Amino acid sequence: MASDDISQLAEALSNTHVGDGELSYKGLGLKLDTAESVEEMVHEIQQYPGLRALHLEGNTLGVEAAQAIAKALESKALLQRCYWSDMFTGRLRSEIPTALRSLGNALMGAGARLTELYLSDNAFGPDGVKGIEQLLKSPSCHTLRELRLNNCGIGIGGGKILAGALMECHRQSSALGAPFKLRVFVAGRNRLENEGASALAKAFQLMGSLEEVHMPQNGINYAGVTALASAIQQNPDIRVLNLNDNTFTKKGTLAMAEALRHLRNIQVINFGDCLVRSEGAIALTAVLREGLPILKELNLSFGEITEAAALVVAQAVMDKPHMERLDLNGNCLGEEGCEALREAMENMDKGDLLGSLSDDEGEPDDDDVDQEEDEERADVDEGGGCCEDEIGITQIKACPAQSPGEEGKVRKALLVPGQLLCLEHAVQQEWFPQHHASLLHTFISRWDEL
């Protein structure tokens, strides 16, 4: 190693934070290739008594460097928290599993009992999951409470491997009388899709201990959402549920609404950009009125929700004493819808929440819609500019309510008052008297003629 490199490393290590059982090399931007390049780091780790947390994020480790660090960890039985995100920038994907196995084997050999494992922003794919598979199954992870794998590109295959490892961890720990109780699971931007999400849902259902689930932007549609919904209702302590930028549509939203009926501790729900649509919003409103007593945040932005349904949602959340934020931005409300929501908030004595108003011209985003339910989009216009208003805790972005038809005529917007949308949802429930269903359907279908 060149003397200049050694000097640079020594200077970087002088900025290391040491104290309270924590050793941090976070964000030093070190390129660590060989055992020699981590010699001083290894010495510090070895000489640190009672090491409980190790920050390596923001550096890049080669195989040889990782193996040297792993050697230093073989005696660190008290290590509990591994912050190893963004640790392989510029590395070949084939290198990463080997490096991860070395570190994992060291933890297992030391008899460490982890509580937090951060591996986000490591583009290691399914092979990277194989690199931590044995660690996740081992007694070192029986005590794991937080697992963060955001933006790792693990894909469907990696999702299945991960799910299998978590289930095996639960099986082995349960046999020892101390079941695995993961509390925080983060796996956004991983291309899990339906199969990966469904596999993980089985693991979630088995554990039943989750408090936070973050799985945004994973290409999951209603089949995967339905599987997750079934699992989530078996985790009654969930406080945060973030499934932003997946595709619920009607089937997924109704399944998720049913799951939410079982949750009394949830505080944050993020279903933004999930295409919940008006009927889904109404189904969620019914749950809001019946439960979710300590809800603080609800995000239903960019969901193709109409004015009438948005008004019903706004009215329901305003009855929540702990409510801090409602996001209805990006829905198809029209200028009049924005005004109606402003007026509704004022009428509910929420004027103190009214913030500054601004207009922002722009094109609405295209939604990734499941092909099987594509016909549901027929009643939504997608062209033209949009206006955006911020109303205190409520953000609204209005899409045009009307657009020219093929023959030059203006097509009527299919907006129905919120009360009728509620009835339309109710008639589809099992408990609704069937002999009234046809009459109600006729009435609603003829609303535009009245």
Side-chain angles (χ1 to χ4, degrees):
M1 189 176 187
S3 58
D4 289 344
D5 293 335
I6 295 174
S7 299
Q8 185 180 5
L9 177 58
E11 183 181 353
L13 293 179
S14 68
N15 297 321
T16 299
H17 169 70
V18 179
D20 299 327
E22 185 168 321
L23 188 57
S24 177
Y25 304 95
K26 179 179 179 180
L28 297 181
L30 302 173
K31 189 175 187 296
L32 307 171
D33 297 319
T34 65
E36 185 182 8
S37 70
V38 293
E39 196 171 273
E40 291 189 42
M41 184 184 295
V42 166
H43 179 72
E44 287 190 354
I45 294 172
Q46 289 174 332
Q47 297 301 311
Y48 194 101
L51 181 65
R52 286 177 168 79
L54 178 62
H55 290 263
L56 295 176
E57 65 266 51
N59 301 291
T60 175
L61 270 65
V63 172
E64 190 178 332
Q67 290 172 339
I69 293 171
K71 188 69 175 176
L73 294 177
E74 288 178 354
S75 62
K76 301 302 174 182
L78 299 180
L79 186 62
Q80 298 176 338
R81 304 187 303 279
C82 297
Y83 302 108
W84 296 348
S85 299
D86 189 19
M87 206 168 64
F88 299 106
T89 300
R91 300 295 171 181
L92 296 175
R93 182 170 290 187
S94 59
E95 295 181 81
I96 300 173
T98 303
L100 288 172
R101 285 192 189 95
S102 298
L103 294 168
N105 288 339
L107 296 175
M108 291 186 284
R113 294 294 183 266
L114 300 184
T115 58
E116 299 176 26
L117 180 58
Y118 287 38
L119 289 166
S120 295
D121 301 316
N122 288 312
F124 49 47
D127 289 341
V129 182
K130 293 179 182 177
I132 59 172
E133 182 180 7
Q134 293 307 313
L135 173 63
L136 290 175
K137 292 178 179 179
S138 75
S140 289
C141 283
H142 288 184
T143 52
L144 192 64
R145 297 295 177 260
E146 296 188 21
L147 177 59
R148 298 175 185 265
L149 292 164
N150 201 63
N151 191 32
C152 291
I154 64 180
I156 295 173
K160 291 180 177 180
I161 296 169
L162 177 59
L166 295 177
M167 293 173 74
E168 181 62 18
C169 182
H170 186 272
R171 187 190 69 79
Q172 292 187 18
S173 60
S174 297
L176 296 173
F180 176 45
K181 294 184 178 180
L182 189 67
R183 293 174 184 164
V184 177
F185 179 81
V186 180
R189 300 187 65 188
N190 272 302
R191 303 192 301 273
L192 293 170
E193 301 183 16
N194 288 337
E195 292 183 59
S198 297
L200 286 166
K202 293 179 181 178
F204 297 167
Q205 186 163 348
L206 184 63
M207 292 184 294
S209 57
L210 290 169
E211 296 179 9
E212 293 188 26
V213 176
H214 302 263
M215 297 175 66
Q217 201 173 349
N218 267 297
I220 308 169
N221 64 30
Y222 76 88
V225 171
T226 300
L228 288 171
S230 297
I232 284 166
Q233 59 184 291
Q234 303 301 320
N235 289 262
D237 294 326
I238 283 184
R239 295 180 291 104
V240 179
L241 180 57
N242 177 7
L243 295 174
N244 189 284
D245 199 8
N246 291 292
T247 307
F248 283 28
T249 59
K250 174 183 173 181
K251 292 180 181 178
T253 311
L254 294 181
M256 195 59 69
E258 182 59 32
L260 291 174
R261 294 181 187 276
H262 300 267
L263 306 180
R264 304 289 297 176
N265 298 311
I266 197 161
Q267 299 177 26
V268 178
I269 297 173
N270 187 341
F271 294 163
D273 204 10
C274 284
L275 208 64
V276 300
R277 296 204 173 105
S278 296
E279 186 171 359
I282 292 299
L284 292 172
T285 299
V287 181
L288 284 168
R289 293 192 182 281
E290 297 170 6
L292 311 183
I294 59 173
L295 186 66
K296 293 182 178 180
E297 297 182 20
L298 176 62
N299 185 342
L300 296 179
S301 60
F302 297 93
E304 292 192 355
I305 299 171
T306 60
E307 172 192 342
L311 281 168
V312 175
V313 172
Q315 290 166 357
V317 299
M318 291 309 161
D319 292 332
K320 299 296 175 186
H322 303 283
M323 199 69 190
E324 296 175 357
R325 184 171 184 266
L326 169 66
D327 191 346
L328 289 170
N329 184 41
N331 286 296
C332 296
L333 306 175
E335 294 285 354
E336 293 182 0
C338 293
E339 294 297 328
L341 279 166
R342 268 196 297 266
E343 184 178 353
M345 289 186 65
E346 292 173 358
N347 290 341
M348 290 183 286
D349 196 24
K350 298 294 181 179
D352 57 324
L353 299 178
L354 184 65
S356 60
L357 303 178
S358 62
D359 291 330
D360 181 22
E361 296 293 330
E363 292 289 331
D365 293 333
D366 292 330
D367 292 296
D368 180 18
V369 184
D370 185 79
Q371 200 167 22
E372 182 176 335
E373 298 193 26
D374 193 59
E375 69 276 3
E376 294 182 28
R377 298 180 64 91
D379 62 344
V380 181
D381 297 317
E382 296 182 307
C386 294
C387 71
E388 182 171 335
D389 293 327
E390 290 188 6
I391 305 181
I393 60 170
T394 307
Q395 294 183 338
I396 307 116
K397 188 170 181 180
C399 297
Q402 297 178 338
S403 64
E406 294 181 358
E407 299 179 0
K409 298 181 179 179
V410 176
R411 182 168 63 85
K412 293 182 66 176
L414 299 180
L415 298 178
V416 182
Q419 292 86 346
L420 293 183
L421 280 172
C422 290
L423 287 174
E424 189 173 19
H425 169 69
V427 77
Q428 298 180 36
Q429 309 308 307
E430 293 181 0
W431 45 260
F432 193 88
Q434 292 300 309
H435 58 281
H436 292 320
S438 59
L439 178 62
L440 183 59
H441 176 75
T442 300
F443 177 70
I444 292 178
S445 65
R446 295 195 176 203
W447 175 260
D448 285 339
E449 301 174 9
L450 298 178

